[in-house]
Amino acid sequence: MLRGDITVAIRNAVMNELAEVGYGRLSIEAVARRAGVGKTAIYRRWSNKLEMVMEIVSDIAERKVPLPDTGSFAGDLQLLMFIVSKALQHRIASQIIPDLMAEAARNPQIAETLQGALRTQQQALAEKLVGQAVTRGELPEGTDPKLAVDLMLGPLYWRLAISRDPIGDEYLEQLAAAVTGALKAARP
Amino acid sequence: MLRGDITVAIRNAVMNELAEVGYGRLSIEAVARRAGVGKTAIYRRWSNKLEMVMEIVSDIAERKVPLPDTGSFAGDLQLLMFIVSKALQHRIASQIIPDLMAEAARNPQIAETLQGALRTQQQALAEKLVGQAVTRGELPEGTDPKLAVDLMLGPLYWRLAISRDPIGDEYLEQLAAAVTGALKAARP
DNA sequence: AAACGGCGGAACGCAACCGTTACGTCGTAG
DNA sequence: CTACGACGTAACGGTTGCGTTCCGCCGTTT
């Protein structure tokens, strides 16, 4: 039976190593060193780097985001943006996510894994959120959920993961207001 | 005197190699092989990988985008988005940009170079574009150019570089309309 | 008490790449 | 015509990582 404490140490080491050097430069040996573990312990669990990283990452990424329903679209949106912005400002996540996204662009297996872990949820969440708003009459019927995702997550991701400008609460409110305006203005 | 044709071959090789394997895995030897050139020819021009990549990339990135002025903000925006979407759908660019962005998150020198090459222009472009619109009375006075950048480029980048969903002209129009609505709705 | 199995450590052969050097070729400038 | 210098090739010693193997240790199971 594999020892659980050692598995945990490896998982942590992988996440930290991934954040520091990225997938491309991540080596099994460095993970073992960092975890204070023999390489054998790693190869006993996974057969190579890709499999190891994918299992560990998707395990974390699959943790579901609780779906907000604050009673109004503006409220839902602001809450969602708050949650996402917190996640994207997390030290480790803010390094790993862009790195794996870039890697996904050239490795189909990574793309598939991330898609399964992240985008399916996103899609469902956006559809529900938009659906609620349409039912309430806050958004025009026929509002495109995909467009909504782009408008809700795009600016946040851009700001936090690409520009890496710090962001305050007042900015978040401003952004939420803008996105609400955007969706109302979009011709369905 | 260094031979120009060889410099060109190296530059091309670097861009292609960068697109295929990313910065982290890019090796001088692979670049030399790909360019059909000796390693010596490379080391005669640059002293290491970072310097080489930064010089080549920033050289390309600094090519200025002509600033649109179509007479209306909606027109400016749609033209800008069209240009950006074409750039982000380019085979090489769509691989290299996210990769270097991720790398920039962990290498200050890369961050600085990209910032100098890209963000300064972006900022200037956004300020002019928003300024024109405010003068024309199309956007409220005090509209935040930074917010405008996030709203204009964020969704496009998200869609093209992260989601990697193909996009059509009608989507682009829809998006431009939404962003215009967003900026009008944003409280200054 | 004995058997089992996961553990760390060390070493294996192999491959890739680093940055540098020495050499012989070839085009061009003087 | 000669001298220079950029070129490709090949080799250098050194480093790093791969994936595997063997060892002795030690806690658990039986």
Side-chain angles (χ1 to χ4, degrees):
Chain A
M1 188 82 297
L2 299 172
R3 273 172 55 184
D5 57 333
I6 291 193
T7 304
V8 168
I10 297 174
R11 299 178 103 88
N12 290 338
V14 166
M15 294 304 282
N16 281 292
E17 202 67 19
L18 217 42
E20 277 186 22
V21 304
Y23 179 83
R25 280 196 269 259
L26 180 137
S27 77
I28 303 271
E29 309 225 342
V31 170
R33 274 196 300 272
R34 180 168 215 138
V37 137
K39 275 199 292 179
T40 38
I42 296 182
Y43 280 111
R44 213 170 280 123
R45 289 168 171 77
W46 303 279
S47 62
N48 55 54
K49 168 170 129 177
L50 178 60
E51 191 187 304
M52 173 181 75
V53 172
M54 287 302 93
E55 204 239 63
I56 292 175
V57 167
S58 65
D59 214 62
I60 293 176
E62 267 165 8
R63 294 177 193 162
K64 293 199 178 152
V65 179
L67 187 55
D69 185 354
T70 64
S72 77
F73 179 69
D76 287 356
L77 181 59
Q78 208 165 323
L79 178 55
L80 175 63
M81 282 187 159
F82 181 77
I83 294 173
V84 171
S85 78
K86 281 294 170 248
L88 282 180
Q89 288 185 74
H90 184 279
R91 207 192 95 250
I92 307 255
S94 70
Q95 302 268 5
I96 292 182
I97 295 175
D99 182 81
L100 287 182
M101 288 300 182
E103 209 63 46
R106 74 177 68 91
N107 183 326
Q109 193 169 344
I110 295 183
E112 201 182 336
T113 304
L114 291 185
Q115 184 137 346
L118 293 176
R119 245 169 73 201
T120 309
Q121 294 185 34
Q122 263 171 32
Q123 192 75 16
L125 201 148
E127 273 169 19
K128 185 159 174 192
L129 207 146
V130 169
Q132 288 170 355
V134 170
T135 308
R136 290 193 203 104
E138 293 173 306
L139 288 182
E141 212 148 337
T143 299
D144 181 5
K146 268 189 169 180
L147 177 66
V149 174
D150 296 351
L151 286 168
M152 294 186 294
L153 299 185
L156 263 187
Y157 186 84
W158 173 269
R159 180 71 166 228
L160 294 175
I162 309 299
S163 287
R164 293 187 180 262
D165 270 346
I167 168 179
D169 282 353
E170 73 295 340
Y171 180 80
L172 217 53
E173 287 175 36
Q174 210 178 346
L175 184 55
V179 171
T180 307
L183 285 172
K184 285 182 179 158
R187 327 158 293 150
Chain B
M1 188 83 296
L2 299 172
R3 272 172 54 184
D5 56 334
I6 291 195
T7 305
V8 169
I10 297 174
R11 298 178 104 89
N12 290 338
V14 166
M15 293 304 282
N16 281 291
E17 201 67 17
L18 217 43
E20 277 186 22
V21 305
Y23 179 82
R25 282 194 268 259
L26 180 137
S27 78
I28 304 270
E29 308 224 343
V31 170
R33 274 196 301 273
R34 179 168 217 138
V37 139
K39 275 200 291 180
T40 39
I42 296 181
Y43 281 110
R44 213 170 280 126
R45 289 167 172 77
W46 303 280
S47 62
N48 55 53
K49 167 170 129 177
L50 178 60
E51 192 187 302
M52 172 182 75
V53 171
M54 288 302 92
E55 204 238 61
I56 293 175
V57 167
S58 66
D59 214 62
I60 292 176
E62 266 164 10
R63 294 178 193 163
K64 292 199 177 153
V65 179
L67 188 55
D69 184 353
T70 63
S72 77
F73 179 68
D76 288 355
L77 181 58
Q78 208 164 324
L79 178 56
L80 175 62
M81 282 187 159
F82 182 75
I83 294 172
V84 172
S85 77
K86 281 293 169 253
L88 282 181
Q89 288 184 74
H90 185 276
R91 206 193 97 248
I92 305 250
S94 69
Q95 302 269 6
I96 292 183
I97 295 175
D99 183 81
L100 287 182
M101 288 299 183
E103 209 63 44
R106 83 180 59 92
N107 184 326
Q109 193 170 343
I110 295 183
E112 201 181 335
T113 304
L114 291 185
Q115 185 136 345
L118 293 175
R119 246 167 74 200
T120 310
Q121 293 185 32
Q122 262 169 33
Q123 192 75 14
L125 200 147
E127 272 168 21
K128 185 158 173 194
L129 206 145
V130 169
Q132 288 170 354
V134 170
T135 308
R136 291 194 202 102
E138 293 173 305
L139 289 180
E141 212 149 336
T143 299
D144 181 5
K146 268 188 170 181
L147 177 65
V149 174
D150 297 351
L151 287 168
M152 295 186 294
L153 298 185
L156 261 188
Y157 186 83
W158 174 269
R159 180 70 167 228
L160 294 175
I162 308 299
S163 286
R164 294 183 179 264
D165 270 345
I167 95 184
D169 282 354
E170 75 294 340
Y171 180 82
L172 217 54
E173 286 177 35
Q174 209 177 347
L175 185 55
V179 170
T180 307
L183 285 172
K184 284 182 178 157
R187 326 158 294 153

